[in-house]
Amino acid sequence: MNRRLAALANAHGVSTWYEDWRHRRVEVAPETVVGVLGLLGVDATSPAAIADALAAARAVDRGALPDTVVLAHGDTRALPGPGVVTLEDGGRRSVDGELPADLPLGWHRLACAGREVTLVVVPRRLPVPPHTWGWTLQLYALTSERSWGMGDLGDLAEFTEWAGANGAGLVLLNPLHAVGPAHPVATSPYSPASRRFVNPLYLRVSDTAAYRAADPATRVVVDALRPDRGDLIDYDEVWAAKRHALELLYTYAQPVDLAADPALVTFATWCALAERHGNDWRAWPAELHHPDAPAVAEQRRQLADRVAFHAWLQHLCDEQLDAVTAAARAAGMPVGVVHDLAVGIDPGGADGWQLTDVLAQGVRVGAPPDDFNQLGQDWGLAAWRPDRLAATGYAAYRDMLRRTLRHAGGLRVDHVAGLWRLWWVPPGAGAAEGTYVRYDAEAMLGILALEAHRAGAVVVGEDLGTVQPAVTRGLRARTMLGSTVLWFARDDEGDFISPARWPRNALATISTHDLPTAPGFLTGEHVRVRDELKLLGTDVAVERARAAADRERLLAMLRAEGLLPDPALPSDPATPDPAPTPDDGEVVVAMHAALAASPTRLLGVSLYDVLGEVRQPNMPGTVDEYPNWRLPLPAGVAQIRTDPRVARIVDLLSAARPRRADAQPPGPAEE
């Protein structure tokens, strides 16, 4: 790597080398560094350009105010001179060369040294989360007699009410982010059109005021549109039916005040345009490529009714999510509903269109090669530009968090290491030909803490895989939780460790949506299906032997912990026969007993595991070859409530983590 190019990359937070999953140093190709610098608006395509850009970077006054000042509550900070702080509530404070320690939490403005910048005062840490347990739920998979072919917010409210009444302290969801309104409908909840708005596929049509206000004949027509539940979820069928039904009911809707929410108007405009031109704005006519363009304003006028319709759908989503929150509070859940924040967005979607000024145009977020993905991963997602976030006071990041936390007792942050650094793949490069770009973790994490504090929400970071120690330390320092998964809780020899050794500061689960379910692991379904899909990197016999060995290692740990009988010993001292080999159902119960025996603050139980589903929700490395995100649960809401397997797990976890009588339901924290 050219010394000047390396210095320029370092000045802009672009890594010229990284440590791989085997802890080996990997040098990044110079052309990758040049490409990523270009995505940051830095020309490094020639020696002269590098020299000019490096001189400009070195000319920046290191003592000057940054574009955004993030200050932990109780800390002080030296300033380049006297200044004035305009507080969030409109008050003003004069400061003389130093920001004082008693500034209130919030979003303020600082005028100093001839500049005015955003000042964010953030909490040092969040309140300690409770010791409780709950359900991890792919909402689309939860169906009932009233839902239309997939789970909806009405199902969620009913399930949450039942779960809270039966000892659960939380319900953790898949992302409910919005997708494009045109067909085909995106199935992955982790590639959304927008992380700021909600997917209207989750609406329950019959729970709207417009349905109740409609005349009987209209309701009959609406009811007849309801699709039946199939073996797989058909998002296109569900959306076609719900959209038609909601358009019939729109006549009976109360108008939405569009002036009160400009961001909603822009999102609804994108939806109206996407219906006409498709879900990828990059393929629209050039005059529609920016939301402030005159042609967009003209289209907004022409499509005013469709804009209002899509705004109304978001209003309905807010109402039904409010009902879910109310159900959690009424049930006394100490956490409540935990929403999931995807790591990025579809660059052609609504946020990619509306937030283009703070996104790196052309970048694709992914991950470097590892033991499971030898060619690296390209998730096809857009990334924040760290410099533009800071220059705009992190407003887009703040607003995204606020909208998500508005209905949340907690927030799970997918790939939380992305608050520190993200793997950027420049245009034309393969997934392995990227590099890491640094973010201001103190700002990203501090703002997350502030917005979670104000919402009274716990924060769970998905920190699985190879993450830097700074990630774990940063989460722990702010009383945010990491993630522990039984499959990965092993020592250097590959043996499962005692649950007593699991970290306290975590959410513990048996599996994740990208891994085998508990029954699937025990039966070797993950080997069978990956062999069928040609995803195995080794001979199938080798993989089967490895899976069998892993099963025996798991059983050995469960027996050592006293959670399963030892087959070498009699189950009853009065009889000489050895204990029978446990069936898979007993092993699944023992696995949940292992969760209960751990010190982790939050425990998450998957209905796929408890109900005996062998298929995993998502198979990484596939698109249409596997029914990703389309597997309904094998039982509906009513059946779940009476299933003896569910009752057994409820009794086990409720006994291990009893609800305290003085536990407080979720609500805004005091400042």
Side-chain angles (χ1 to χ4, degrees), residues 74 78 86 124 145 334 346 351 454 474 485 621:
T86 302
R124 304 186 71 86
E145 293 300 318
D346 177 355
D351 285 359
R454 290 184 155 181
V485 175

Side-chain angles (χ1 to χ4, degrees), residues 140-154:
Y140 57 82
L142 181 72
T143 57
S144 71
E145 293 300 318
R146 296 185 62 198
S147 52
W148 289 29
M150 63 179 282
D152 61 31
L153 294 171

